[in-house]
Amino acid sequence: MKKISWDSFQTRKYVSDNYETIHDEDKHIIDILIPYISSNSSEIGSVIDVGCGPNLYPTLLVLPYASHVDLVDISRSNTEYVTLQIHSPDEPWISFWKYFQTKDTAYVNCDLGKHINHIVHPIQNSIFDLRESAYDSAFMFFVAESMSDKYAVFEKACRKFCRSVKSGGLLIAAFMEHSEGYEVNDISYPAVSIGKEDLEKVFNPIVTHLKIHHIPKAQPPLRSGYSGMLLLTARRR
């Protein structure tokens, strides 16, 4: 397979395609995670978003509770984008924040501009070079299955994600179910087709409290070539 140039990833186009409006699948994920995060708010602590891409909404979800958030991505263009966003979020992220405010007063009482500047830190780095046991909580949204067409790479990325948190640390991850890959500006990117059983196989040996929610594909769907989304919550053993 041709080597992917992640540094030249068309970040703005990806944001336009995926986050210009809040899609139904994202609303479903958010509606599950807001009460989950609130109920575990005292344990959020230091957070890593692994392979954050240009997606800020996981960071926004923990903003009222986190002490520190590292946004880690291998792509220079994605890292540059989120660096700009933490200084002045664009309208899509303001829309997400306003949606959160309709769900929980923690977001009403949190100063978005002040908090995101103070605690969020973009870092360009590979998922395979993460420090182990360094964080209290970790996110990984649409990464492990969307970086390669090799199942072994998917498995390794999931293990690295899990090991980035301390024992007992919170793990929150989302996956495209049975993805056939995706395109950004007519450039094709690979994927591994995975389902709930694959997540159970990979995560069960290294986590406790595993829960996997199936997020139905909305109509119209976000794009072609997937059967839904899978949202995982767990704790590292």
Side-chain angles (χ1 to χ4, degrees):
M1 179 181 168
K2 182 181 177 182
K3 187 175 180 180
I4 301 167
S5 176
W6 292 110
D7 278 347
S8 58
F9 186 76
Q10 298 296 301
T11 301
R12 293 277 180 179
K13 174 62 173 170
Y14 185 83
V15 172
S16 176
D17 289 346
N18 292 277
Y19 301 113
E20 196 68 34
T21 60
I22 308 176
H23 295 284
D24 286 346
E25 289 103 329
D26 287 323
K27 287 181 179 179
H28 196 157
I29 289 171
I30 290 163
D31 290 351
I32 292 170
L33 287 183
I34 282 180
Y36 177 80
I37 290 169
S38 177
S39 66
N40 292 286
S41 59
S42 63
E43 299 178 71
I44 297 297
S46 60
V47 180
I48 183 172
D49 188 347
V50 178
C52 64
N55 178 12
L56 274 186
Y57 88 69
T59 291
L60 299 182
L61 281 169
V62 296
L63 205 59
Y65 312 110
S67 59
H68 179 101
V69 181
D70 282 344
L71 301 179
V72 178
D73 199 273
I74 196 171
S75 165
R76 183 177 65 248
S77 60
N78 286 341
T79 305
E80 290 173 349
Y81 173 83
V82 294
T83 300
L84 290 172
Q85 295 306 304
I86 65 173
H87 294 292
S88 181
D90 286 342
E91 184 55 38
W93 310 117
I94 301 298
S95 296
F96 273 92
W97 187 252
K98 289 177 179 177
Y99 182 74
F100 298 172
Q101 290 178 322
T102 68
K103 299 294 179 177
D104 194 309
T105 57
Y107 303 96
V108 177
N109 298 328
C110 178
D111 185 324
L112 171 59
K114 179 180 177 181
H115 277 71
I116 200 169
N117 269 292
H118 183 61
I119 68 169
V120 180
H121 306 275
I123 300 170
Q124 187 177 357
N125 197 13
S126 168
I127 189 173
F128 301 116
D129 295 326
L130 299 179
R131 292 179 295 141
E132 291 196 13
S133 304
Y135 298 90
D136 299 307
S137 308
F139 281 94
M140 182 177 68
F141 271 40
F142 314 116
V143 178
E145 80 284 17
S146 303
M147 57 194 299
S148 163
D149 58 0
K150 303 292 191 296
Y151 191 85
V153 174
F154 159 76
E155 289 182 304
K156 184 178 179 181
C158 290
R159 291 193 296 268
K160 286 288 187 178
F161 162 67
C162 289
R163 290 171 183 160
S164 70
V165 300
K166 303 165 187 175
S167 178
L170 295 172
L171 299 163
I172 300 171
F175 304 84
M176 300 300 287
E177 181 186 49
H178 300 305
S179 176
E180 298 174 3
Y182 58 106
E183 289 190 356
V184 184
N185 266 2
D186 297 323
I187 299 173
S188 295
Y189 291 88
V192 175
S193 177
I194 57 100
K196 181 181 178 182
E197 298 78 10
D198 298 290
L199 297 184
E200 291 171 338
K201 176 184 174 184
V202 172
F203 281 90
N204 265 324
I206 48 180
V207 305
T208 63
H209 300 83
L210 177 65
K211 188 165 186 179
I212 300 170
H213 303 264
H214 183 261
I215 310 299
K217 184 166 63 172
Q219 297 300 326
L222 177 64
R223 58 171 171 79
S224 62
Y226 73 107
S227 59
M229 298 180 185
L230 298 167
L231 175 65
L232 176 152
T233 59
R235 291 177 180 269
R236 182 185 173 183
R237 287 190 184 277

